[in-house]
Structure formats: structure tokens, C-alpha cells
Amino acid sequence: MSSIKVRRFTLSADDKDGSNKLYITLDASNLGFNPSQEYSRAQIACNAYDAAGTFTVSFRPAGADDNFYLPFISQEGEAATAGEDTVIIGRNVDPLFDALKLEFSGVAATDVELYVGFIKP
């Protein structure tokens, strides 16, 4: 039977950089577990934080160097639309990643509510 761990994070719009972007890296330090040891997929979604809000996901392959991330490319090859799209990364056969890095663009005044479900098939 599948098991799921869900994590929720709030990123304050006040913390955005000069380009109206927010960033978060999800790994064992803030998840409370290492995704590559138990979970092989993640579903990522967020609120519709501002009119032009989009987000992108990069992943660190299991066992890679701490600073090595690969971009996750959606079917359309574009950023996901906040409040509309859910990004699903991973596969059922074996662990693919041990950290995720997310970038949120178009942040104005609304906080970003991030929801991530980690799935163990």
C-alpha cells in the first residue's frame, strides 16, 4: 500500500528579492526525512499567490553533490502556473532525487503557500 507524507511551507512575500522571486530548497533538513531513502515521487502545488505567479522545480539526483541540481522540465517546457498546475516529479521504480529547489516568480504582495506530497508506492 502506498504511503504519503505531506509538507506545507509558507514563504513570505516580504522576503522576495529584487526580481520579485522567492526560493526554497527542500531536503532532509527541513522535511524531517530524506526523500531518496523512502519516497520516489513528489507532487508540488501552491496557491495562486499573484496574477503573474509561476514556479519552477529543480532536483538534485540521489547521491549527487550538494550544489548539483538539474531543471525539471514539464511537458510544455514552461514554468508551472501558480494556483493551477501541479508538478509531479519522480517515478515508481527507485529514488530519483534527494532534494528539490523551487523558484517562485512574479511575487508581489501575497505569501506563497507551498504544498508538497511525497509518495512511496
Side-chain angles (χ1 to χ4, degrees):
M1 178 178 217
S2 296
S3 64
I4 298 172
K5 283 188 180 181
V6 177
R7 297 293 187 263
R8 178 177 179 236
F9 299 89
T10 300
L11 288 73
S12 174
D14 295 337
D15 294 334
K16 67 183 180 269
D17 66 12
S19 300
N20 292 336
K21 293 182 179 182
L22 287 170
Y23 306 89
I24 187 170
T25 299
L26 303 176
D27 58 20
S29 67
N30 59 2
L31 293 173
F33 63 95
N34 184 338
S36 71
Q37 293 178 351
E38 302 175 49
Y39 297 85
S40 60
R41 290 189 328 191
Q43 292 184 325
I44 306 159
C46 69
N47 62 321
Y49 54 86
D50 284 303
T54 61
F55 67 99
T56 58
V57 178
S58 297
F59 67 96
R60 183 174 65 209
D65 292 338
D66 286 348
N67 294 327
F68 182 77
Y69 284 85
L70 296 170
F72 178 73
I73 307 298
S74 68
Q75 289 178 341
E76 294 84 24
E78 301 174 357
T81 302
E84 292 181 20
D85 296 332
T86 299
V87 174
I88 301 171
I89 184 170
R91 55 189 182 182
N92 286 335
V93 289
D94 57 3
L96 175 65
F97 57 88
D98 61 12
L100 300 172
K101 187 180 288 189
L102 289 84
E103 176 183 302
F104 299 89
S105 300
V107 179
T110 307
D111 293 345
V112 174
E113 300 291 335
L114 170 63
Y115 304 90
V116 184
F118 291 90
I119 303 160
K120 180 179 183 179

